[in-house]
Amino acid sequence: MDNSKKTILSARGIGKTVKSGSSDLVILREIDLSVTAGDAVAVVGASGSGKSTLLAILAGLDTPSIGSVEVDGADLFGLDEDQRAELRGKSVGFVFQSFQLLPSLSALENVMLPLELAGRADAEAMSREILARVGLGERLSHYPKHLSGGEQQRVALARAFSVRPKLLFADEPTGSLDAAAGSGVIDLIFELNRSYGTTLVMVTHDENLAQRCGRIVRLVAGQIAGK
Amino acid sequence: MKQSLQMLLRDWRAGELRVLAMALVVAVASITSVAFFADRVGRALVRDAHQLLGADLVLVSDHAWQPGIAQEIANRGLNSARATTFISMAIAGENSVLAGVKAVSGNYPLRGRLRIAPAVNAPDGPALAGPRPGTVWIEERLVTALSAPVGSRIKLGASSFEIAAILTLEPERGANFFNIAPRLFMNVDDVAATGLVQTGSRVWHYLYAAGAPEKIVALEAWAKGRMARGQRVENLESGRPEVRGAIERAQRFLGLTALLAAILAGVAIALGTRRFVERHLDGCAVMRCFGATQNRLLLLFGGEFVLLGLAGCALGTVIGFVAQFFIAEILGGLLRADLPAVSMLPALQGFLVGLVLLLGFALPPLVQLKNVPAVRVIRRESGATSGSAFAVYAAGLVSLSGLLIWHGRCRAGRDRGGRFRRGGRVVRGDSLVGFALFLREFLFKKDRKEKSLFALWPRQPAPACARQRDSGGEPRSRAHRGPAPDVHAQRPRGCLAAQFPAGCAQPLSARRPARPARGSEVLLYQPRHRDPGAQPHGARPPGFREQQEDR
């Protein structure tokens, strides 16, 4: 994996405003952010500070009112919706607070999903391997409803890392877990991150977790307060 | 397609498709069983109707046929028979009775069978051929009137004939003045020897034709251009008008039965798809996150539904095929007719109807499924753009209408052979009007009550105004527990904006009037006269008469 110190994520002048009744509500303003490949960045802030909105914009899930984002050299909002989806499929992984596993699919099938969408013929073998790596090699055929929260998040991690993403966005990955399970998941995230050389952008409330990242971006009322 | 098959198997295993598949199978089974049965009954009706005519087409002339006509029927590969009818005196010993004589060729009738008995009150059976030369068949009342049993001889004009059988059933016989006389059947080759048919005799000459419907239609067109004075072409419509109405009514009833099954199928599929879509919104958002383009999602789900449709329609067709035998068995006692063998056209129709219904009612919501925004994985309230509710179901309406038109044309085409084109048109018109009324009455009214099939997407959170009201401690009344529109989210257009004035979480129409306090008076009648107390008990108040008249 290429760990050269090039900028893999760059945001310039990001602003997000939504209509709220007759007035405008500013969620983000003048966000400039640059992330180097291989870095681990924590985005912290109080509830309503715009963390998740910023994450969604950086990942191309949402569009900013103003500003631009470059991911791996591609102008994210110069692309159309489908091109952004293809870019995400190739370069981006996600871990969500609510896991977002498909309930109708087994653990193995959930991990296989992004690989199948990418047209990988070895989707099953790769999925088995990475599930074994996160400690769920014996629970391949289990459905999400039969897994604990920590196990579900491990499946989600396996799914996120299965496509070997250059950039991993994690939205409160321990937000739905107890302390013990959360700690295990965090250890796993950093271990996989190091192993695959992935760049990590993580939104969290947890200051201790943020401290484990190399860099902390603090959002206050939609603006970066400290870097 | 491989991934679609995988998704189909996974969704099936998870039970996501069972409701939809069940709806489809039941729908197709209903449609095909009714269609199979209707087709068999329809063909039996037409067949039996032609038996009442004795052929598929009859040419009638008040003078002898020109030789080319009979030859033309043979040249067209059609079966033909001939007959001559006239009234004559039948004599047996001292008794004589005016008889309606029908002299027929050996292969008469081409459709249906005459029934004869060996003696009066003896069991009868179908006659395999007409009377042999030198013999006659007579009705029972002729036997009585002439005192001439089977085996005795009867005289017609210059010839004498042996009574060979009692005629018990002549399907072609209609009710008119000339048919009042008791019937006597003889062989047409014996007519000349009787000397009864001479110049000026009141005689009708018939040519019968039977065969493939398209050949009959062609012959009819050909013959109509060659009819001379005193000649005409008779089909069921013109020859037996009393039969036409009965068949039209039967076909309309069966057609409406099939239509009802199709409408129920559409509703069931729409409901099943709605459930499927609701349960796949999150999954689609996740797939969008992991790189699925909109076209990819559409192909995946479209392929999945096509495969589901093929499997469901095949199974439903098989079940319908089996079920129609039970229907025929149950109703066999009522029909009193042998139904013809099953044709495969209803199977094809049912299969295609199922597929078109599924795709017509399911594809529009699936198309919308691809529009689920990826950001839904973070903000769950972000739904897909629902678009126009009518547009979503317009495809289903158009599909069903197309099917009905096609079905009507099929029947009209089939009926063309049986001369019942008007019946097909009537059913088709009824079907379209009926379905439109159904949509208006059921779907749109439901929509206005916010229980609509059109509500494709999960309801959005209550708007700020509703949350503020709740947080302010005001108890939420039952009337306000209904789903509320989100001012930030697009809501289905079926929810009329006029019903949601600013700050109102419930349509005004759904609000209940304030219930009067206990003990308060509820005026059911409001007299125009404002002083009802002046009226004695039981007297009509002033204005009552005027109000009655107003009503």
Side-chain angles (χ1 to χ4, degrees), chain B residues 49-202:
Chain B
H50 281 127
Q51 288 179 7
L52 298 180
L53 201 61
D56 294 338
L57 195 68
V58 182
L59 308 182
V60 187
S61 175
D62 63 1
H63 54 275
W65 282 104
Q66 49 271 44
I69 302 287
Q71 189 58 43
E72 180 65 22
I73 295 174
N75 290 344
R76 288 173 180 267
L78 296 165
N79 294 324
S80 69
R82 61 198 172 99
T84 302
T85 63
F86 53 91
I87 302 290
S88 181
M89 198 63 83
I91 303 167
E94 297 297 315
N95 301 319
S96 60
V97 173
L98 204 59
V101 179
K102 187 164 192 172
V104 297
S105 56
N107 61 344
Y108 173 89
L110 298 176
R111 297 282 186 234
R113 281 277 178 267
L114 298 172
R115 292 184 74 87
I116 54 175
V120 174
N121 295 327
D124 67 350
L128 301 178
R132 284 181 288 106
T135 65
V136 294
W137 298 343
I138 60 174
E139 278 188 347
E140 184 180 337
R141 52 183 173 145
L142 208 52
V143 173
T144 308
L146 293 174
S147 299
V150 173
S152 62
R153 297 194 70 83
I154 193 171
K155 193 174 178 188
L156 279 175
S159 298
S160 174
F161 299 90
E162 179 192 351
I163 300 172
I166 304 298
L167 179 71
T168 56
L169 178 66
E170 179 195 357
E172 187 193 356
R173 193 165 196 188
N176 61 48
F177 176 77
F178 292 100
N179 287 327
I180 292 174
R183 179 65 88 201
L184 184 151
F185 263 73
M186 61 182 287
N187 193 289
V188 74
D189 293 336
D190 291 336
V191 172
T194 63
L196 292 172
V197 176
Q198 299 174 8
T199 304
S201 297
R202 188 169 176 76

Side-chain angles (χ1 to χ4, degrees), chain B residues 255-256 259-260 262-264 397 400-401 404 426-443:
Chain B
L256 287 173
L259 170 70
L260 182 63
I263 290 173
L264 292 177
L397 173 61
L400 193 53
S401 302
L404 295 171
V426 169
V427 171
R428 192 175 62 204
D430 287 355
S431 305
L432 289 173
V433 171
F435 186 62
L437 286 174
F438 170 80
L439 276 183
R440 189 177 74 81
E441 291 299 315
F442 185 73
L443 300 180

Side-chain angles (χ1 to χ4, degrees), chain A residues 62 81 85 109 116-117 143, chain B residues 3 13 288 291 296 379:
Chain A
D62 200 358
E81 183 64 38
E109 289 163 349
E116 287 175 345
L117 289 173
Y143 289 91
Chain B
Q3 285 190 357
R13 186 189 58 200
R288 299 276 295 144
R296 184 72 180 279
R379 284 198 298 271

